Amino acid sequence: MFWLQPVQLVLCFGPLTYFAYCDLHTMSIPAYPLEVWTTIICLYGAMRDWRLLAVALSTMAVVGLLAWSTHGLGSADVLVMGALGACLGLSSVLLTILLACGLGLAHSCWRHTRRIPFVPALTLAGIVVVTVATLRRYL
């Protein structure tokens, strides 16, 4: 399903939590650390299984086209979705994006705003998906 072991979990969600914090408070993410992190995550996923790199690149391509055509998502959102694709695999990243959309909608309704910091929603949704998948494996 996905390649997350304890070290990879920290490698994936540690920096992602920092990026979510930046996005929540400033509505922007520093580009250079995000690009380096995304590259590391995608290459590490490719070393584990080449299909994870294919998932990451296809996720970035599809979501990037959606972001370009609607002007609704930022480039950081696209990179984070691609990196999560390299971590979680196709079905889990689709579930993560769906859950993040719901969380973003709830945030928008709660704050009465149209601007949504989407990386925190992706981070929280990714943590929920990983937790549920881990619990299902051990229960």
Side-chain angles (χ1 to χ4, degrees), residues 13-86:
F13 285 104
L16 187 56
T17 304
Y18 166 72
F19 298 137
Y21 177 81
C22 290
D23 193 28
L24 185 63
H25 291 291
T26 64
M27 294 297 287
S28 70
I29 295 175
Y32 180 72
L34 178 68
E35 292 166 355
V36 170
W37 172 78
T38 303
T39 304
I40 290 169
I41 292 294
C42 289
L43 290 177
Y44 192 80
M47 287 183 346
R48 303 286 288 181
D49 186 1
W50 66 269
R51 290 174 290 197
L52 292 175
L53 181 61
V55 169
L57 293 176
S58 61
T59 301
M60 283 190 249
V62 170
V63 175
L65 283 173
L66 178 69
W68 177 75
S69 66
T70 64
H71 303 290
L73 291 172
S75 60
D77 302 327
V78 174
L79 291 176
V80 168
M81 286 183 226
L84 286 174

